[in-house]
Amino acid sequence: QKEVEQDPGPLSVPEGAIVSLNCTYSNSAFQYFMWYRQYSRKGPELLMYTYSSGNKEDGRFTAQVDKSSKYISLFIRDSQPSDSATYLCAMAYAGKSTFGDGTTLTVKP
Amino acid sequence: GAVVSQHPSWVICKSGTSVKIECRSLDFQATTMFWYRQFPKQSLMLMATSNEGSKATYEQGVEKDKFLINHASLTLSTLTVTSAHPEDSSFYICSASPTSTEQFFGPGTRLTVL
């Protein structure tokens, strides 16, 4: 079993929809939780970085961490075609990150 | 802030030659740098972790003699693919971390070995 499991997708939504991206993990040692966005043929870009359980909001993006359930989510409100990309969750402890396999999102105009 | 550059962005080489890829953190000092490779439609595969001034730590299955990593300073790490073969063709991405948790990625280098 992988340490980090990410909903595989792909996901296709109409413009303006609310998108929910999810990951589960098995290692309770993970302390830091990140979401990255990767456009085709580009390096990943850090979107959100959280440490504790709860919600963190940044513009149209909300990251949610539930340590008790070992479950994290990224919500995108009012999705735009420019949000079309692959989203990677990542979790870290002791200086090492483990990445999910990514969910490819397409937002159709 | 937190910009990481990679050079070159793409390279085509003949089988048997060596290729060097540079990774630089432009506006912060990176205590740790990471090297990944990524195949099409797959996630990142960590190859090695390097700390400035010390030897890189390679992941299982990654040949250290083939993928030479040098972390010369707090802002520069290099990956040299020695005696490259077509199966080494991939997208190589570095990341730099100021804190050993959050990582900032470079734009990647696409290597094609003929």
Side-chain angles (χ1 to χ4, degrees):
Chain A
Q1 184 188 4
K2 292 181 180 178
E3 278 190 304
V4 177
E5 297 276 3
Q6 183 167 359
D7 287 353
L11 200 56
S12 180
V13 301
E15 184 174 355
I18 296 174
V19 176
S20 172
L21 304 166
N22 308 294
C23 288
T24 58
Y25 62 96
S26 57
N27 189 344
S28 57
F30 287 130
Q31 296 177 307
Y32 303 91
F33 305 89
M34 287 75 70
W35 285 96
Y36 292 85
R37 176 175 64 194
Q38 185 176 23
Y39 292 112
S40 182
R41 298 173 178 263
K42 301 288 185 185
E45 170 195 7
L46 180 64
L47 278 178
M48 303 286 281
Y49 172 77
T50 58
Y51 174 70
S52 57
S53 282
N55 294 349
K56 182 176 181 179
E57 192 173 315
D58 184 1
R60 295 185 295 109
F61 298 90
T62 299
Q64 190 176 77
V65 174
D66 183 344
K67 285 188 174 182
S68 61
S69 301
K70 298 190 178 69
Y71 187 91
I72 71 169
S73 298
L74 178 70
F75 298 97
I76 307 174
R77 291 186 302 281
D78 186 26
S79 56
Q80 302 295 307
S82 58
D83 295 328
S84 298
T86 296
Y87 290 80
L88 300 160
C89 65
M91 300 164 198
Y93 80 102
K96 189 166 180 179
S97 294
T98 302
F99 289 82
D101 288 341
T103 301
T104 298
L105 169 68
T106 301
V107 181
K108 296 183 176 179
Chain B
V3 179
V4 177
S5 70
Q6 242 179 282
H7 178 81
S9 55
W10 60 270
V11 57
I12 301 173
C13 69
K14 291 183 178 179
S15 185
T17 60
S18 294
V19 175
K20 180 186 280 189
I21 303 170
E22 286 189 355
C23 177
R24 292 181 185 270
S25 57
L26 299 185
D27 51 2
F28 66 97
Q29 292 187 327
T31 54
T32 309
M33 287 185 166
F34 304 85
W35 286 95
Y36 296 84
R37 66 189 296 183
Q38 187 177 38
F39 292 105
K41 302 193 177 184
Q42 294 188 24
S43 190
L44 303 165
M45 186 190 84
L46 179 65
M47 298 175 68
T49 303
S50 74
N51 293 291
E52 184 262 341
S54 60
K55 289 184 178 180
T57 302
Y58 290 80
E59 294 299 301
Q60 193 172 11
V62 178
E63 300 174 59
K64 61 179 69 176
D65 293 331
K66 180 167 185 64
F67 298 100
L68 301 177
I69 291 172
N70 183 281
H71 195 153
S73 72
L74 285 170
T75 60
L76 173 64
S77 177
T78 60
L79 167 68
T80 301
V81 183
T82 62
S83 187
H85 290 283
E87 57 266 29
D88 298 324
S89 299
S90 189
F91 192 49
Y92 291 87
I93 310 174
C94 73
S95 73
S97 177
T99 62
S100 296
T101 51
E102 57 192 323
Q103 296 182 36
F104 299 96
F105 287 85
T109 297
R110 184 159 302 283
L111 169 64
T112 301
V113 184
L114 302 176

